[in-house]
Amino acid sequence: MTDSKYFTTTKKGEIFELKAELNSDKKEKKKEAVKKVIASMTVGKDVSALFPDVVNCMQTDNLELKKLVYLYLMNYAKSQPDMAIMAVNTFVKDCEDPNPLIRALAVRTMGCIRVDKITEYLCEPLRKCLKDEDPYVRKTAAVCVAKLHDINAQLVEDQGFLDTLKDLISDSNPMVVANAVAALSEIAESHPSSNLLDLNPQSINKLLTALNECTEWGQIFILDCLANYMPKDDREAQSICERVTPRLSHANSAVVLSAVKVLMKFMEMLSKDLDYYGTLLKKLAPPLVTLLSAEPELQYVALRNINLIVQKRPEILKHEMKVFFVKYNDPIYVKLEKLDIMIRLASQANIAQVLAELKEYATEVDVDFVRKAVRAIGRCAIKVEQSAERCVSTLLDLIQTKVNYVVQEAIVVIKDIFRKYPNKYESVIATLCENLDSLDEPEARAAMIWIVGEYAERIDNADELLESFLEGFHDESTQVQLQLLTAIVKLFLKKPTETQELVQQVLSLATQDSDNPDLRDRGYIYWRLLSTDPVAAKEVVLAEKPLISEETDLIEPTLLDELICYIGTLASVYHKPPSAFVEGSRGVVHKSLPPRTGSVESVESPDTAPSGGPAADQPSVIPTQGDLLGDLLNLDLGPPVSGPPMATSSVQMGAVDLLGGGLDTLMGGGGSSFTAAPSTTAPTTVGAPLGSGLGDLFDLTGGVGTLSGSYVAPKTVWLPAMKAKGLEISGTFSRQVGSISMDLVLTNKALQVMSDFAIQFNRNSFGLAPAAPLQVHAPLAPNQSVEISLPLNTVGSVMKMDPLNNLQVAVKNNIDVFYFSTLYPLHILFVEDGKMERQMFLATWKDIPNENETQFQIKDCSLNADAVSSKLQGSNIFTIAKRNVEGQDMLYQSLKLTNGIWVLAELRIQPSNPSFMDLELSLKCRAPEVSQYIFQAYETILKN
């Protein structure tokens, strides 16, 4: 009879009966009872009440019964920790049993019982098993160490198990080596900073020897470990590749992919001129092709990995195009993946074959697949210029089929072909226009509208065609509405006399009758452009457009390099790094390929890419929307982002000066009488011609939100390498849009890697303190530099320093703690809301006693009054008023420090010779000790 009988019972008081059977004297009856208990446990019944009775059955020589009892123990030890201690004695005894199978079983179960109370009792038996004479016991004990480390890492380190594990890498038995490697890798993943797998040429040699003899899963562990090793030169890389290559012919696809990963990684270090490099490329193709004869699920995983490999090294599979042709019975997910790889491999040599195949696919029944096939034809045209004509005629043939979804996809891709090859295939526009009525998908409608707008001068009835779309304007999707607005504006600029009504109609629909902010904004911008300066409008809207790139869906190169290091794992199927989908990924380390032999990267720091842009063999990538957004955010218009800053000062000053002569030129200068100075507030209309309402569209209102281009001093060395065991720190301070940051460059001039950086400030006059930890994302290798922007705040502890702007800093790393002090310029503490009302200014000036007034002179300044005012305003020193007395300009200014102290200033500007001015500065402040430092700030800003 089969074991199914244990799962069926109709008896009452089952637990009671099982208890009686477990305590029976007959061995057979005991075994039957334990089987029934395990069956009940498997279907989810609670049989924890039988814990003591089942544990009593452990004292037996019967291996089958012992296994069942251990299974029960693993399941219930967590809920009954106090009872589980009863079993400890038996474990200790079993670990000394003459039968190696029982010793291994005991140590395996010990690892699976995740109860803190028991772990310390298991250390002695585990230590004996790690040194057992039987390799089966040793390999089981190795895995047990990793499990124990997960429960109590400190205990494992204190007991010295990690060192024993490292010794097992030199074991004579290959399976023990594989399990030791697997255990160490597992532990190292959860502790990325610990250098557990300290691989060197000797240990690599042992691993490669074990590789030939262990089981397939053992081979995978060893290959994955090899992939994390960095050979010291190309000769070592070649020797490892030679010994790993035989794994490519293994029957297990996981072993093949792990071997491919090692080879792809180490090929980076081989010179392309080597004969061996060519041989290796040839050897990599057959195993990848063989993976495609497996079942569909495995094929899909293989195809996702091949997709990455083809993007990195298309030459491996360039002659294997036929393997990726779709079979009629392939599942859709395999078909779509094959199609993607076909496009990546398309070249002048095989394009005829590919196009014939794609045309065939376009007549299939599966709608999704047909759409992808039509899109693929367009991608071929863009990728292989010589094939463009043939692709266009293929697409026209498909349009003639009049199959709705085929026509729509064809129009979308023809739009991209026009963007890649302008003025070449416009003769087909007439055919496209015939199919206008059949378009019902937003993307296809938007593509058609773009074509009509872009080539309006070639289409006689362009206005009628666009007018037909306008009728249902509010029912269209946003994509179509935006495209229609732009197309009609283009049409108007090309044929202004005939289309005036049409453009007015679309502008009022887009602005007054629409509640979509994107559409309204674009409508208003066009409206203002057209009403202000039609010539400028023409230059903006009808500007020359850059050609689109060949491959728009390539993975970004640094991400691709990281994914190559994860071939054969889930990351390679998702095409995302593990940190993107592993929850709580504390152990996820970013991996990257080794630098190419003789490449720029191997000399410079990894952060600095070669100046020639992307590597020559990488096709250019159109950045995704996310990347573009990242670039915009990197302009540092918000609070500083931690990580390497951009060259801040140039960016900000440029950003302020977008309107030519700075915002102040828009506002007009001050008069000769005592007038309010030009502020950053724009008048409602900037110049007469701009029609009312522009003021509220482009609201240039000043105040807290304005972009502050505060002066940033060049970086100087604060801590020389001589005083800090090889660590050199240089830096400067900056203030951008209300955020203070300390911009640092850390340079490692020592011979060892530096890591674990942290920073702390001593108490200081204005409470400056780091607003975030010092983040150095990767260890700093010798001769490498890293730029960091450390955000600061002013909520730290306050203590008056001498001099007032002195800052004492401590920086810690894995080597030592280092101290230095630096002086910060006071203008980083000038806040954005430091502009005082005129009446308030007069009252405060009178209120502050005269003995608090200090006077300074700034000689030979090359700026006139307006330039001085505008330059100081960039650093939050605001001009309240300006007047001219006997040929001398007087500026009245205010500023406010982060701790709320107001400083009032009178600046007298008198010409000393035709090109230079002498400035007299009077400062009034309730805390006169800051005046000296305010004067230094004035001098620094005006003379730089």
Side-chain angles (χ1 to χ4, degrees):
M1 192 174 170
T2 63
D3 284 349
S4 60
K5 64 180 178 181
Y6 301 113
F7 292 90
T8 54
T9 174
T10 52
K11 292 178 185 173
K12 300 227 168 38
E14 196 178 355
I15 296 280
F16 182 75
E17 287 171 12
L18 284 173
K19 204 180 185 78
E21 286 179 24
L22 286 169
N23 292 319
S24 158
D25 299 335
K26 294 183 181 166
K27 280 188 180 175
E28 271 312 303
K29 211 164 188 186
K30 256 189 186 179
K31 192 155 71 171
E32 293 291 298
V34 173
K35 282 187 178 178
K36 284 179 192 169
V37 170
I38 298 292
S40 300
M41 182 178 89
T42 310
V43 295
K45 289 182 186 168
D46 182 17
V47 282
S48 57
L50 298 168
F51 199 93
D53 307 287
V54 177
V55 171
N56 284 339
C57 300
M58 276 174 85
Q59 312 292 343
T60 173
D61 302 331
N62 185 319
L63 191 59
E64 188 186 3
L65 182 54
K66 216 177 233 331
K67 277 186 180 174
L68 291 168
V69 173
Y70 278 175
L71 196 62
Y72 177 89
L73 255 179
M74 283 186 232
N75 202 35
Y76 282 118
K78 212 168 195 167
S79 58
Q80 308 257 358
D82 299 330
M83 302 289 281
I85 291 183
M86 291 164 47
V88 167
N89 258 344
T90 318
F91 281 135
V92 177
K93 266 169 57 184
D94 280 356
C95 283
E96 300 186 358
D97 195 277
N99 182 345
L101 288 177
I102 288 181
R103 296 204 295 275
L105 182 64
V107 81
R108 177 182 294 133
T109 312
M110 280 169 14
C112 293
I113 294 180
R114 304 178 60 82
V115 175
D116 272 341
K117 285 186 182 176
I118 298 184
T119 45
E120 55 213 63
Y121 296 109
L122 307 181
C123 294
E124 262 333 290
L126 180 56
R127 185 173 284 110
K128 285 180 186 162
C129 289
L130 281 168
K131 297 200 160 60
D132 199 282
E133 76 268 6
D134 192 288
Y136 182 71
V137 181
R138 291 202 301 276
K139 87 176 180 69
T140 312
V143 178
C144 184
V145 174
K147 290 178 175 173
L148 191 58
H149 187 275
D150 196 35
I151 305 166
N152 189 338
Q154 198 52 51
L155 181 73
V156 170
E157 286 162 30
D158 296 345
Q159 293 284 340
F161 287 146
L162 294 180
D163 297 328
T164 318
L165 260 190
K166 288 180 190 172
D167 296 343
L168 286 183
I169 289 185
S170 315
D171 199 275
S172 55
N173 184 289
M175 262 327 291
V176 177
V177 175
N179 277 19
V181 166
L184 282 169
S185 303
E186 181 85 15
I187 294 169
E189 263 183 23
S190 59
H191 291 67
S193 53
S194 64
N195 195 10
L196 284 178
L197 270 163
D198 187 14
L199 297 172
N200 51 42
Q202 290 72 36
S203 56
I204 288 292
N205 196 22
K206 287 171 187 159
L207 292 183
L208 287 165
T209 310
L211 187 62
N212 300 321
E213 297 163 37
C214 56
T215 65
E216 48 199 23
W217 296 110
Q219 291 182 29
I220 293 167
F221 292 137
I222 291 178
L223 286 167
D224 286 351
C225 177
L226 285 173
N228 294 329
Y229 175 62
M230 184 69 76
K232 60 179 188 295
D233 55 25
D234 53 344
R235 284 182 57 185
E236 190 185 357
Q238 181 174 338
S239 123
I240 294 174
C241 288
E242 283 167 355
R243 294 177 69 178
V244 167
T245 312
R247 299 299 110 213
L248 291 173
S249 51
H250 200 284
N252 184 326
S253 50
V255 176
V256 175
L257 282 177
S258 291
V260 168
K261 169 167 64 186
V262 175
L263 296 173
M264 285 292 290
K265 205 169 170 187
F266 291 170
M267 273 171 86
E268 283 293 304
M269 298 186 70
L270 302 180
S271 159
K272 287 190 173 181
D273 312 332
L274 278 177
D275 294 343
Y276 180 68
Y277 182 85
T279 317
L280 198 51
L281 284 181
K282 286 190 190 120
K283 283 184 179 170
L284 274 169
L288 293 173
V289 169
T290 309
L291 291 177
L292 297 182
S293 52
E295 51 268 34
E297 293 78 10
L298 276 178
Q299 272 189 58
Y300 179 70
V301 172
L303 286 164
R304 291 294 279 174
N305 281 281
I306 288 170
N307 200 327
L308 295 174
I309 293 165
V310 164
Q311 287 185 53
K312 185 70 186 166
R313 300 198 183 282
E315 62 271 27
I316 293 177
L317 288 160
K318 66 179 177 192
H319 300 305
E320 304 290 346
M321 177 63 87
K322 279 197 168 151
V323 189
F324 300 105
F325 285 176
V326 171
K327 298 189 182 82
Y328 76 95
N329 58 350
D330 279 339
I332 182 69
Y333 54 89
V334 170
K335 283 181 174 175
L336 295 178
E337 208 53 45
K338 281 185 172 177
L339 203 52
D340 208 30
I341 295 170
M342 277 169 68
I343 311 298
R344 299 211 191 285
L345 291 175
S347 64
Q348 209 176 329
N350 56 25
I351 194 74
Q353 213 180 2
V354 173
L355 274 179
E357 193 73 13
L358 291 176
K359 193 171 179 184
E360 199 66 37
Y361 300 161
T363 57
E364 290 258 343
V365 287
D366 190 322
V367 177
D368 281 342
F369 182 52
V370 171
R371 285 174 180 280
K372 196 89 188 250
V374 175
R375 211 155 266 218
I377 295 172
R379 281 174 62 189
C380 283
I382 289 166
K383 187 174 180 194
V384 185
E385 190 167 344
Q386 294 77 2
S387 73
E389 199 145 333
R390 189 182 285 171
C391 292
V392 172
S393 65
T394 306
L395 288 168
L396 287 176
D397 292 348
L398 291 171
I399 288 176
Q400 297 310 333
T401 62
K402 299 290 184 206
V403 177
N404 191 315
Y405 53 86
V406 176
V407 172
Q408 307 213 52
E409 280 300 328
I411 285 176
V412 172
V413 298
I414 286 175
K415 173 202 69 177
D416 286 339
I417 294 174
F418 285 168
R419 289 169 68 199
K420 175 74 176 174
Y421 308 111
N423 306 322
K424 216 167 177 188
Y425 301 108
E426 280 75 10
S427 53
V428 307
I429 292 176
T431 319
L432 303 183
C433 292
E434 290 166 17
N435 294 282
L436 208 73
D437 301 335
S438 63
L439 307 180
D440 52 17
E441 288 169 17
E443 199 178 357
R445 288 172 78 83
M448 192 65 227
I449 292 168
W450 182 86
I451 292 171
V452 174
E454 189 67 17
Y455 300 104
E457 69 279 10
R458 301 173 188 230
I459 304 170
D460 299 333
N461 61 338
D463 49 345
E464 288 168 27
L465 296 176
L466 292 176
E467 203 166 354
S468 67
F469 283 104
L470 257 195
E471 288 158 12
F473 186 78
H474 290 303
D475 303 327
E476 300 284 6
S477 71
T478 309
Q479 182 183 10
V480 177
Q481 290 177 333
L482 287 165
Q483 205 53 267
L484 192 53
L485 173 60
T486 304
I488 291 177
V489 171
K490 284 179 184 172
L491 175 66
F492 171 71
L493 290 167
K494 290 175 181 178
K495 302 179 179 178
T497 47
E498 304 144 48
T499 53
Q500 204 152 1
E501 277 181 31
L502 189 61
V503 82
Q504 281 178 337
Q505 192 184 347
V506 77
L507 286 172
S508 89
L509 281 170
T511 53
Q512 290 155 17
D513 307 347
S514 166
D515 53 6
N516 180 319
D518 291 343
L519 188 60
R520 291 185 57 167
D521 287 355
R522 192 183 290 191
Y524 276 123
I525 285 175
Y526 283 152
W527 198 320
R528 301 294 178 220
L529 263 175
L530 294 171
S531 60
T532 313
D533 187 351
V535 180
K538 207 163 189 169
E539 282 174 13
V540 171
V541 181
L542 303 179
E544 186 101 354
K545 294 170 188 61
L547 301 184
I548 62 171
S549 158
E550 292 166 15
E551 298 264 10
T552 53
D553 59 345
L554 283 176
I555 293 174
E556 192 266 325
T558 48
L559 174 59
L560 179 62
D561 285 353
E562 186 175 353
L563 292 176
I564 292 287
C565 301
Y566 287 111
I567 284 178
T569 66
L570 266 180
S572 67
V573 179
Y574 288 150
H575 287 188
K576 289 178 180 172
S579 52
F581 60 86
V582 178
E583 274 191 17
S585 47
R586 63 196 164 98
V588 173
V589 185
H590 286 289
K591 299 184 181 179
S592 61
L593 293 178
R596 263 213 162 289
T597 336
S599 75
V600 188
E601 286 121 302
S602 53
V603 186
E604 298 178 6
S605 70
D607 297 342
T608 53
S611 54
D617 54 351
Q618 290 288 354
S620 60
V621 181
I622 287 186
T624 60
Q625 209 138 7
D627 295 340
L628 288 173
L629 191 60
D631 292 345
L632 287 174
L633 294 177
N634 271 346
L635 288 178
D636 220 355
L637 302 181
V641 188
S642 57
M646 294 178 63
T648 42
S649 55
S650 60
V651 174
Q652 268 72 35
M653 294 315 288
V656 170
D657 213 60
L658 283 174
L659 297 172
L663 292 178
D664 51 323
T665 56
L666 278 175
M667 315 313 166
S672 59
S673 60
F674 194 100
T675 54
S679 73
T680 34
T681 316
T684 14
T685 54
V686 183
L690 284 187
S692 65
L694 184 60
D696 43 74
L697 261 180
F698 302 117
D699 190 6
L700 299 169
T701 316
V704 181
T706 53
L707 177 62
S708 163
S710 178
Y711 165 72
V712 181
K715 292 190 177 78
T716 51
V717 175
W718 288 341
L719 180 67
M722 296 277 290
K723 292 187 178 175
K725 301 185 181 173
L727 173 65
E728 184 186 276
I729 300 180
S730 51
T732 184
F733 294 88
S734 62
R735 182 183 187 93
Q736 302 300 341
V737 198
S739 300
I740 309 171
S741 53
M742 183 190 230
D743 301 327
L744 299 165
V745 177
L746 308 181
T747 306
N748 181 356
K749 296 193 173 177
L751 297 174
Q752 67 189 97
V753 173
M754 293 182 179
S755 60
D756 307 339
F757 286 88
I759 193 165
Q760 206 170 345
F761 293 177
N762 197 358
R763 292 187 298 169
N764 54 77
S765 310
F766 292 89
L768 276 178
L774 182 63
Q775 291 189 328
V776 182
H777 292 297
L780 197 58
N783 294 322
Q784 190 181 333
S785 293
V786 63
E787 288 194 18
I788 297 150
S789 185
L790 178 71
L792 307 181
N793 58 33
T794 50
V795 295
S797 306
V798 176
M799 179 175 81
K800 190 174 176 186
M801 302 293 286
D802 184 31
L804 206 63
N805 58 343
N806 188 16
L807 180 66
Q808 296 173 337
V809 184
V811 172
K812 178 189 91 70
N813 65 10
N814 57 333
I815 297 170
D816 206 340
V817 180
F818 310 105
Y819 302 91
F820 64 89
S821 65
T822 180
L823 300 177
Y824 49 90
L826 223 60
H827 67 262
I828 64 167
L829 304 172
F830 298 176
V831 295
E832 280 67 14
D833 59 346
K835 186 165 187 179
M836 208 177 247
E837 290 296 326
R838 276 179 64 191
Q839 300 315 114
M840 185 70 178
F841 181 93
L842 290 167
T844 313
W845 184 273
K846 286 177 187 164
D847 199 21
I848 296 175
N850 286 339
E851 53 264 39
N852 281 19
E853 184 174 344
T854 31
Q855 270 145 355
F856 304 94
Q857 276 209 328
I858 301 171
K859 291 259 184 212
D860 299 338
C861 173
S862 59
L863 304 171
N864 65 14
D866 284 351
V868 165
S869 174
S870 125
K871 193 157 192 183
L872 291 172
Q873 183 154 317
S875 293
N876 297 334
I877 299 174
F878 298 92
T879 302
I880 311 294
K882 169 184 165 189
R883 66 174 174 169
N884 190 292
V885 181
E886 300 168 355
Q888 295 181 2
D889 285 317
M890 308 275 280
L891 298 180
Y892 296 86
Q893 299 178 316
S894 71
L895 64 95
K896 182 176 155 193
L897 295 167
T898 47
N899 57 3
I901 293 177
W902 283 89
V903 180
L904 311 187
E906 179 193 72
L907 191 61
R908 183 190 296 264
I909 301 171
Q910 47 192 13
S912 60
N913 66 43
S915 54
F916 286 95
M917 309 282 178
D918 281 348
L919 276 57
E920 268 183 36
L921 177 66
S922 298
L923 295 175
K924 260 194 169 187
C925 172
R926 296 193 194 281
E929 56 267 47
V930 302
S931 298
Q932 174 67 32
Y933 302 94
I934 302 286
F935 156 66
Q936 286 169 6
Y938 263 79
E939 199 169 35
T940 307
I941 296 163
L942 292 174
K943 291 207 168 177
N944 289 291

